[in-house]
Amino acid sequence: LAETNLAQRELSPFKCDISIFSGKEDDKICQEQIDGWKLHTGANCSVHYFEGGHFFLHDEIPEMSKLINNALKKHVQRNAGLV
């Protein structure tokens, strides 16, 4: 995938919310790339920043799990007509 030129492909955005996780000190990705994820959904795109660099997730598993679980609960409730 890393060698595939996706810039010339037509985007078909998801119809669901997406969540983006990034380390505040990550020097391997820029803000423009993070914001670019918003093009991949017609719904909400939430960006969550954590202390640390590219491998921040090793220290943030509990908080990331909480955010993912909450997003999934909202999705299920919305589809069940509870929200």
Side-chain angles (χ1 to χ4, degrees):
L1 282 176
E3 295 175 6
T4 304
N5 184 358
L6 298 177
Q8 296 180 359
R9 290 188 175 181
E10 186 177 327
L11 294 177
S12 295
F14 292 108
K15 296 177 183 173
C16 63
D17 297 347
I18 59 174
S19 298
I20 309 304
F21 304 102
S22 182
K24 291 179 183 177
E25 292 83 35
D26 190 344
D27 59 357
K28 300 194 182 306
I29 189 166
C30 67
Q31 188 62 45
E32 183 179 345
Q33 291 171 301
I34 293 168
D35 291 339
W37 279 100
K38 295 174 183 175
L39 299 174
H40 295 284
T41 184
N44 295 319
C45 178
S46 302
V47 180
H48 305 275
Y49 295 96
F50 294 89
E51 295 300 326
H54 193 67
F55 294 102
F56 71 92
L57 60 113
H58 294 293
D59 296 321
E60 299 292 347
I61 291 172
E63 184 60 27
M64 288 179 58
S65 296
K66 195 183 316 180
L67 290 166
I68 292 167
N69 284 333
N70 287 338
L72 290 171
K73 284 179 191 176
K74 279 188 206 176
H75 178 75
V76 169
Q77 290 173 342
R78 192 176 316 131
N79 286 330
L82 301 174
V83 176

